[in-house]
Amino acid sequence: QTIATQSMVPSGAGQGSAVPTQSAPLTALFQEISGKITEEFKATVNSLKVYVSPEVVFASQPQFRIPFCRQQIRQGLVVKHLYHIIDTAADMCKVTTSRSSPPPPVLLLLMARLCLEMKDSIIAYLVSLSDEAFPADSRSSGATPIADLCKHAASTSQELIDHFVSVQGLAISQMIRKSVETRDWLTTLEPRTVRPVMKRVVEDVSLLDHHVGQLFEEGSRKEHSSEDSRASRRRNIPTGTRAWNYAPNAFDSNLMSNIQKLFSERIEIFGSVEFNKVSVVTGVVKIALKTFLECVRLRTFGKYGLQQVQVDTHYLQIYLWRFVSDENLV
């Protein structure tokens, strides 16, 4: 229920920002989940120590102790329990008809962070805790190495974070697609401001950035242009009715260069992302912008319809560059 309340709430129309609902921070939820796993595991291990207590006569006999520690505890309890946690997280990426509703995107993000933490520390800690309490030769045949568990957790974490990006990108894409396909672009009026849907896109990306930043590191960005140079580019954007009338001889060299880039540079849209905020948000923005591009490409525009798209595109460029790894993607 706590996870489900992590939704987007606009903090003001046109401000390009959003605030989370009043619920527990994702960092606290993550710490609670990982802490519960460790605490419950410790309690289970302590409750089973009675079977290897020196006071129990048969506990010292190798016919009982070795199979019990190696097969029942390490393989039957520890390994299976860890695999169960990881496989349960992996199942969230699968679309099944039996599931009434898909898991909340925030839950995908939390489980991706949990599996990453399991790979980095939790698995090794819990296995070593078990081996200390129930000594057994982990190198014997049939014993699952820690490396195999960590590898499975790492691949599941990558699958979850990629699925999270896909789900969030699809949610924004559907909003953009509907806004383009349901409008009559041939008879639209002269644009006076940016469409509300573009403000909502920026708000959603802003909250997405907030959520991801609570669980993952910042990540690296390419060096951004200075504010002065960016402001200079904005001042050079044509304004007024005449400026929108692009005759063939009105294309300057900079505009032609950007158009050529659209056809010469191939930007990967659906690739895997890294475990940092910049990479995750960039992946979502790529999907959203690609959808916008494809929807516009399939429509026919009148004079004012084209101007409206130019206004919307410029708005996105102004506000989205700060969220991505390379502002040239926007």
Side-chain angles (χ1 to χ4, degrees):
Q1 292 177 349
T2 304
I3 293 173
T5 59
Q6 296 282 345
S7 58
M8 294 187 176
V9 177
S11 63
Q15 300 301 318
S17 60
V19 294
T21 54
Q22 297 299 323
S23 56
L26 295 185
T27 49
L29 290 175
F30 165 70
Q31 292 171 359
E32 181 179 355
I33 294 173
S34 57
K36 277 290 184 181
I37 291 174
T38 303
E39 291 173 7
E40 293 293 335
F41 185 87
K42 286 182 177 179
T44 301
V45 168
N46 289 332
S47 66
L48 292 173
K49 284 183 178 180
V50 64
Y51 291 100
V52 293
S53 172
E55 300 175 357
V56 179
V57 177
F58 61 83
S60 60
Q61 298 178 2
Q63 294 87 346
F64 168 80
R65 191 179 187 91
I66 294 177
F68 179 76
C69 294
R70 182 189 303 165
Q71 299 173 7
Q72 302 300 323
I73 298 298
R74 197 179 198 280
Q75 291 298 122
L77 174 65
V78 180
V79 173
K80 282 189 176 182
H81 179 61
L82 293 173
Y83 268 126
H84 174 71
I85 295 174
I86 299 170
D87 291 340
T88 300
D91 286 342
M92 295 180 184
C93 299
K94 300 176 182 177
V95 179
T96 59
T97 55
S98 60
R99 181 179 294 160
S100 58
S101 60
V106 173
L107 181 58
L108 295 174
L109 192 66
L110 276 168
M111 297 309 294
R113 182 65 181 89
L114 176 64
C115 288
L116 185 64
E117 186 69 17
M118 290 182 69
K119 186 264 294 186
D120 291 339
S121 61
I122 293 179
I123 290 177
Y125 173 72
L126 295 184
V127 172
S128 63
L129 189 70
S130 171
D131 289 345
E132 290 178 2
F134 305 94
D137 187 3
S138 60
R139 296 170 297 178
S140 60
S141 60
T144 303
I146 294 179
D148 289 356
L149 290 166
C150 291
K151 183 178 179 180
H152 186 42
S155 63
T156 300
S157 182
Q158 186 67 60
E159 184 180 359
L160 283 163
I161 198 68
D162 290 343
H163 187 60
F164 171 80
V165 170
S166 177
V167 169
Q168 292 292 81
L170 179 61
I172 298 177
S173 294
Q174 288 177 335
M175 182 168 55
I176 293 175
R177 180 180 177 182
K178 183 177 180 181
S179 74
V180 174
E181 293 182 347
T182 57
R183 192 183 184 102
D184 185 356
W185 295 99
L186 291 174
T187 60
T188 187
L189 300 177
E190 183 177 2
R192 298 299 180 184
T193 184
V194 65
R195 290 185 298 146
V197 66
M198 295 302 160
K199 298 177 181 179
R200 177 63 186 273
V201 168
V202 174
E203 289 170 355
D204 286 3
V205 172
S206 177
L207 186 59
L208 173 69
D209 181 83
H210 172 76
H211 280 164
V212 178
Q214 294 183 61
L215 296 175
F216 294 94
E217 297 179 352
E218 177 73 18
S220 60
R221 289 184 171 91
K222 289 187 178 180
E223 185 176 355
H224 290 157
S225 302
S226 64
E227 288 294 336
D228 292 339
S229 63
R230 191 176 295 108
S232 176
R233 289 201 301 271
R234 289 200 292 265
R235 286 195 297 268
N236 291 333
I237 292 178
T239 57
T241 304
R242 293 183 180 179
W244 296 105
N245 186 18
Y246 283 129
N249 58 0
F251 285 103
D252 57 22
S253 58
N254 187 32
L255 183 58
M256 288 299 297
S257 175
N258 290 334
I259 291 177
Q260 290 174 358
K261 278 185 177 181
L262 293 176
F263 296 94
S264 62
E265 294 183 358
R266 180 179 178 86
I267 299 177
E268 187 178 10
I269 304 298
F270 298 103
S272 294
V273 298
E274 300 175 3
F275 294 102
N276 60 70
K277 184 180 74 171
V278 172
S279 181
V280 172
V281 178
T282 298
V284 175
V285 171
K286 280 182 180 180
I287 295 174
L289 294 181
K290 178 65 174 177
T291 300
F292 187 34
L293 174 63
E294 290 301 315
C295 289
V296 169
R297 186 176 64 85
L298 297 174
R299 305 295 292 183
T300 302
F301 295 85
K303 175 182 177 181
Y304 293 143
L306 176 60
Q307 291 180 9
Q308 183 65 67
V309 171
Q310 291 170 322
V311 171
D312 294 344
T313 303
H314 182 53
Y315 179 86
L316 293 179
Q317 185 181 31
I318 290 175
Y319 286 102
L320 291 184
W321 67 266
R322 68 196 68 200
F323 297 112
V324 299
S325 58
D326 184 358
E327 64 179 284
N328 292 324
L329 292 174
V330 182

